Amino acid sequence: MVKKLRFVKLISVARKARTVTRKYPFEGPLITEEFRGEVRLDPKKCIGCGACIIICPPNALTLHDEGDVRVIRYFVGRCIFCGMCAEVCPTNAITITKEFELATLATEQLLRDLVHERVKCRICGKPFLPAKLLKAANDDIPGSDNYIDVCPECRAKLGLKGILEHRMG
Amino acid sequence: MSEEEGNSGQVVKGSEEAIFLVENLLRKKLSELPVKIYRAAGDSIVVEVPRRYLRDAANAVHNDLDAYVRTCAGCDEREIRGIYAVYHILGLDNYGVNVIIKVAVPENDAKVPTIADIAPGADWCELEFRDLVGIDLTGRPTHRLVLPDDWPDGLHPLRRDVPYGVRPPPVKREEVSLIEIERPGIPVGPYHPALHEPEYFELYVEGETVIDVRYRGFHVHRGIEKLAESKLTYKQIPFIAERICGICGFCHSTCYVMAVEKAAGIEVPERADYIRAIVLEIERIHSHLLWLGVACHILGYDAGFMHTWRIREKIMALAEYLTGSRKTYGINIIGGVRKDINKEKVPKVLEVLDFVEKETKNLADVLLSVPEVKRRLTGTGKLYREEARKLSVVGPVARASGLYRDVRKDYPYLAYKHVSFKVPLYTEGDNLARTLVRVEELFESISIIRQLLDTMPGGDIRVEEYEIESGRVSVASVEAPRGEDVHFLITGEGRPYRWRVRAPTYQNIPALRAMLRDQQLADAPITIASIDPCFSCTDRLVIVEVSGGKVRRVRRINVVKVAGGKVW
């Protein structure tokens, strides 16, 4: 008889467990300190190098060069919150936040744009790379001051001209 | 101890010695045939056999050497060698060695003989490469399995010359209804009411008894294999691999990275092996608790459902604490893992494990004593051992039918060789046995995690530098909560040349026919659920997005054209 009634034990299990449902959103959500949510790009630290764009598995981060600006666009709707971008960022401009309440009725609200001014080539006048990126590159490669504000195409021509001048005397 | 395990007492499974033994065995068995036998990456041996001897070779390996079908894959190798190739991957549990039977198929005569009558486990995957790569089969009735009915003939999505994302206009076909059985077909699906996944079963009944059942699946085609072979890079694929399944995601990503690591010969730090194994076991615990809850729900015992999920929530939070994501996403990469389990985290893990162990013990005791639950699980959905072996079923379904089959023991991987654990084995083969196997495994998993945490070595968790040579072949497998995941890989330039994924449910669904036959109709829902089916896993691979509306699709599914009266 006792064995047959063993299932009644559920009452004691339930009494001990009590209410476990959290009254979210009136109470805080159940997330741990390790939770990865939306990432945030710091416009001050970002140099626009595009390392995050290359690593991003779902292409949530994209890069567009348009006219005078380079736009780094973060589309939260595609983000899988893996945090690979924060890992590869050379200037630690990307931080992983705990933000997950991202639902919205308008897709545009899920777009975060970061705009970099592009430097104009001193020879041809065409905009090519963000100023900050050039500065970072210049710091990395000593002695590159002469070429730093020249676009890659003009740089090639310049280099060739230099060699030719050297050869021809 | 079962007989299968007894056989292997002499050699360490998966060791060099075992591979050597198998190689010699193969040479002896296949000495009459003009075969080429050589080692592939890791624990695999390739047997290249001319097309007309395929059946002899398959017979020798499958029946004489007691292997079972893990999967098969078709591959379009016209760019490299001007041929198609078919790979049959057979597993020798007793040695922990994979045998890959490779057949070259000329382009102008793309046909291979079937081996489905020799090895019934190959039935589905043969039809799959027929659909996707367009290698026809001789000697068996064929029908369309994976591609939808309105997909044009002669367009095979996994051929290399078909670009990614092709959306051909739908082809109108005459709808032919199933007329062989003049009984009412009771539809279950196309959306499972309790498992919340798309599938379609048609149960044929006589009174209250099920006399036959047909399955039509592959509704959630996502084209993951094609995507990986044409768009993604090696490093991106782990993140899509873990999205093959909503439950055992980490198993798929582990399986993929293991296949790449094997093929490229990357030595992964031991600590990463331990972390991967810990996360895999956490996944098993949450999956089994989920299943237990759903089973209660299907049996109408919702109190049990809620309490199992209350306990499961702790495990989900633990997964988030260790990996940064409730679903353990985002930490597996080629060469190791991205997140360490440091010393400070260990006490919290142990605390949660203690809680879960105690609560689950209490609850399982209660659940299994509820008269309704017990009565409906006992003796229903029987799968006998012989049938289970023939159909190459895997995971808890195999273990509940008396087959000692567990990848963690048979093909040792990651850190499992450093821990001791028991593989629960039942011989009844009914729904209760499958439930008990899962409940016991839960406790084994908890013990495995404790042992792993206790003995975890220090050191790095990832290697950064590696090179992946193209043209290498490897097979990796992981014991997922539902059975074994198998990933077959041929490396290419920058991305896999061929990546074939086989989820456990793929092997287990065909067994449902045997389980459901002659059962009461009322028991069908729990029997279908008892294999813990994951339809998204099973359907993972085609590019198809049917342009017809949903309603139309439902109607069409009802009238699958069947050749030879066989849908399986």
Side-chain angles (χ1 to χ4, degrees):
Chain A
M1 192 63 202
V2 178
K3 212 179 162 194
K4 270 192 177 166
L5 283 173
R6 201 160 56 179
F7 66 92
V8 181
K9 237 175 79 183
L10 189 74
I11 296 169
S12 82
V13 172
R15 272 182 68 119
K16 231 172 96 194
R18 307 185 78 94
T19 308
V20 289
T21 314
R22 188 83 67 106
K23 285 202 176 93
Y24 175 79
F26 305 107
E27 284 178 62
L30 278 164
I31 53 170
T32 63
E33 61 260 46
E34 300 290 336
F35 178 76
R36 284 191 308 265
E38 183 191 353
V39 297
R40 204 148 284 161
L41 278 70
D42 186 346
K44 280 194 191 118
K45 285 188 191 162
C46 179
I47 53 170
C49 68
C52 50
I53 281 106
I54 295 167
I55 199 77
C56 183
N59 299 340
L61 285 156
T62 46
L63 186 148
H64 311 271
D65 282 337
E66 297 159 1
D68 290 348
V69 292
R70 165 172 283 192
V71 182
I72 292 182
R73 173 166 284 179
Y74 173 42
F75 178 36
V76 190
R78 296 201 81 169
C79 184
I80 58 170
F81 312 112
C82 64
M84 288 292 270
C85 47
E87 212 168 272
V88 296
C89 183
T91 58
N92 295 327
I94 304 180
T95 43
I96 303 167
T97 69
K98 306 232 173 309
E99 195 53 61
F100 68 95
E101 289 150 315
L102 301 161
T104 172
L105 290 173
T107 319
E108 306 84 67
Q109 290 182 2
L110 295 174
L111 294 174
R112 321 259 188 270
D113 283 359
L114 201 155
V115 182
H116 283 283
E117 289 285 334
R118 291 205 290 167
V119 173
K120 288 198 176 71
C121 172
R122 118 167 98 87
I123 297 172
C124 68
K126 231 171 58 192
F128 61 112
L129 285 181
K132 278 187 188 162
L133 180 56
L134 285 178
K135 195 178 168 300
N138 194 16
D139 293 347
D140 263 10
I141 312 160
S144 58
D145 307 69
N146 285 343
Y147 293 100
I148 203 68
D149 50 356
V150 182
C151 75
E153 283 148 42
C154 294
R155 203 179 307 159
K157 284 181 198 158
L158 211 65
L160 205 60
K161 223 168 113 192
I163 294 169
L164 286 175
E165 270 168 16
H166 184 75
R167 283 269 172 94
M168 306 293 176
Chain B
M1 202 167 278
S2 76
E3 56 188 274
E4 282 102 315
E5 204 200 4
N7 271 347
S8 61
Q10 318 98 25
V11 287
V12 180
K13 288 182 182 182
S15 64
E16 283 299 315
E17 194 195 348
I19 299 169
F20 183 73
L21 267 172
V22 173
E23 210 177 324
N24 280 345
L25 264 174
L26 284 171
R27 283 191 203 285
K28 217 161 67 194
K29 280 272 174 231
L30 304 172
S31 58
E32 313 258 289
L33 305 173
V35 293
K36 221 164 91 189
I37 298 171
Y38 56 91
R39 287 275 303 270
D43 51 8
S44 311
I45 298 170
V46 180
V47 177
E48 267 189 50
V49 54
R51 187 163 55 161
R52 61 174 176 278
Y53 298 114
L54 168 66
R55 287 175 59 83
D56 302 319
N59 191 31
V61 179
H62 186 270
N63 294 341
D64 300 347
L65 296 182
D66 196 21
Y68 76 107
V69 177
R70 303 195 92 186
T71 189
C72 60
C75 183
D76 175 2
E77 295 181 0
R78 285 176 298 171
E79 293 165 17
I80 320 174
R81 282 182 271 281
I83 50 153
Y84 297 108
V86 169
Y87 299 85
H88 282 283
I89 298 138
L90 300 162
L92 268 73
D93 274 358
N94 297 343
Y95 299 93
V97 176
N98 291 305
V99 175
I100 304 171
I101 302 180
K102 182 180 172 183
V103 190
V105 186
E107 187 179 357
N108 52 13
D109 182 32
K111 279 186 197 132
V112 282
T114 180
I115 65 159
D117 51 338
I118 301 165
D123 186 15
W124 270 24
C125 59
E126 277 190 347
L127 290 172
E128 191 177 316
F129 70 63
R130 178 179 174 269
D131 276 11
L132 300 181
V133 194
I135 302 169
D136 217 339
L137 295 155
T138 53
R140 63 167 287 177
T142 52
H143 57 89
R144 200 169 260 204
L145 177 77
V146 179
L147 292 175
D149 295 335
D150 56 359
W151 187 266
D153 288 324
L155 181 63
H156 304 288
L158 276 183
R159 285 196 177 171
R160 308 285 294 186
D161 49 7
V162 176
Y164 174 75
V166 162
R167 303 241 188 294
V171 178
K172 282 219 167 77
R173 282 177 216 279
E174 205 157 302
E175 296 181 344
V176 184
S177 50
L178 299 167
I179 40 164
E180 302 94 49
I181 299 174
E182 285 176 5
R183 303 264 174 220
I186 296 179
V188 180
Y191 194 73
H192 196 284
L195 301 170
H196 308 295
E197 275 202 87
E199 42 74 64
Y200 181 78
F201 288 93
E202 210 162 73
L203 305 174
Y204 294 91
V205 291
E206 201 169 62
E208 280 290 304
T209 313
V210 178
I211 52 166
D212 205 352
V213 53
R214 295 174 195 287
Y215 170 74
R216 175 74 171 149
F218 298 94
H219 307 159
V220 266
H221 311 307
R222 288 164 291 166
I224 287 178
E225 284 176 14
K226 182 76 180 174
L227 181 68
E229 287 166 24
S230 56
K231 287 266 181 250
L232 302 179
T233 61
Y234 279 119
K235 285 187 180 180
Q236 284 176 320
I237 295 173
F239 297 94
I240 192 126
E242 60 194 10
R243 278 162 180 79
I244 289 171
C245 182
I247 306 287
C248 48
F250 201 82
C251 298
H252 281 288
S253 66
T254 309
C255 209
Y256 165 75
V257 294
M258 272 168 40
V260 176
E261 284 156 6
K262 259 189 203 173
I266 302 167
E267 289 279 329
V268 180
E270 226 186 355
R271 192 174 173 85
D273 278 352
Y274 272 73
I275 294 171
R276 279 181 187 163
I278 289 170
V279 179
L280 281 174
E281 290 311 309
I282 286 178
E283 205 166 65
R284 189 180 324 278
I285 298 172
H286 97 66
S287 173
H288 282 351
L289 281 172
L290 177 138
W291 181 84
L292 202 59
V294 171
C296 287
H297 178 60
I298 289 171
L299 295 175
Y301 185 57
D302 271 1
F305 160 62
M306 285 171 193
H307 280 281
T308 11
W309 281 49
R310 166 176 64 80
I311 301 167
R312 177 175 175 265
E313 188 53 37
K314 289 272 181 208
I315 286 286
M316 300 309 282
L318 180 67
E320 188 193 298
Y321 182 64
L322 294 181
T323 68
S325 160
R326 273 169 71 85
K327 268 306 297 92
T328 65
Y329 283 159
I331 71 159
N332 237 345
I333 49 170
I334 295 167
V337 290
R338 291 173 54 209
K339 222 172 160 70
D340 200 1
I341 299 178
N342 45 29
K343 271 212 179 75
E344 294 80 67
K345 286 186 177 167
V346 174
K348 172 91 187 273
V349 181
L350 293 175
E351 184 195 316
V352 173
L353 289 182
D354 287 344
F355 170 86
V356 171
E357 188 177 32
K358 207 177 105 214
E359 290 273 316
T360 313
K361 227 171 228 162
N362 264 339
L363 192 66
D365 200 32
V366 176
L367 291 184
L368 297 171
S369 62
V370 177
E372 292 86 347
V373 173
K374 213 169 151 187
R375 222 172 298 147
R376 291 198 54 192
L377 289 175
T378 315
T380 54
K382 272 206 157 189
L383 180 69
Y384 294 99
R385 188 166 186 273
E386 245 342 280
E387 222 149 2
R389 178 198 283 282
K390 223 172 62 189
L391 290 163
S392 293
V393 298
V394 292
V397 180
R399 296 195 278 276
S401 294
L403 288 182
Y404 186 90
R405 183 172 287 169
D406 188 321
V407 182
R408 292 174 294 177
K409 292 272 192 205
D410 298 335
Y411 302 84
Y413 61 100
L414 298 182
Y416 288 111
K417 49 183 173 291
H418 304 301
V419 291
S420 75
F421 62 97
K422 191 174 108 219
V423 177
L425 197 67
Y426 283 82
T427 49
E428 288 85 352
D430 60 355
N431 287 332
L432 185 68
R434 288 189 278 276
T435 310
L436 291 173
V437 165
R438 290 196 177 94
V439 171
E440 281 181 33
E441 271 183 22
L442 234 147
F443 297 116
E444 290 300 323
S445 290
I446 292 175
S447 138
I448 291 172
I449 300 176
R450 285 199 185 116
Q451 294 174 49
L452 288 172
L453 283 173
D454 203 34
T455 54
M456 190 151 70
D460 284 340
I461 54 166
R462 63 198 273 187
V463 285
E464 307 264 350
E465 305 269 315
Y466 51 81
E467 256 172 56
I468 302 165
E469 217 180 292
S470 69
R472 307 201 31 99
V473 176
S474 71
V475 179
S477 50
V478 162
E479 183 72 25
R482 292 108 193 259
E484 56 169 44
D485 276 345
V486 178
H487 286 211
F488 169 73
L489 187 91
I490 303 174
T491 57
E493 297 293 337
R495 61 173 65 98
Y497 190 79
R498 182 81 176 86
W499 173 44
R500 168 84 165 95
V501 179
R502 204 228 57 214
T505 310
Y506 197 87
Q507 293 298 91
N508 286 343
I509 286 180
L512 274 178
R513 193 182 201 190
M515 290 183 199
L516 287 167
R517 218 178 286 160
D518 301 326
Q519 293 284 324
Q520 291 292 299
L521 180 62
D523 293 325
I526 181 65
T527 304
I528 291 174
S530 76
I531 65 163
D532 197 1
C534 176
F535 299 105
S536 291
C537 272
T538 311
D539 295 1
R540 90 241 81 91
L541 55 132
V542 188
I543 19 177
V544 188
E545 191 67 60
V546 179
S547 54
K550 261 186 192 153
V551 180
R552 196 169 145 253
R553 249 172 111 186
V554 174
R555 202 164 59 84
R556 291 184 65 87
I557 295 159
N558 227 325
V559 283
V560 193
K561 185 178 175 180
V562 188
K566 206 171 164 226
V567 179
W568 298 98

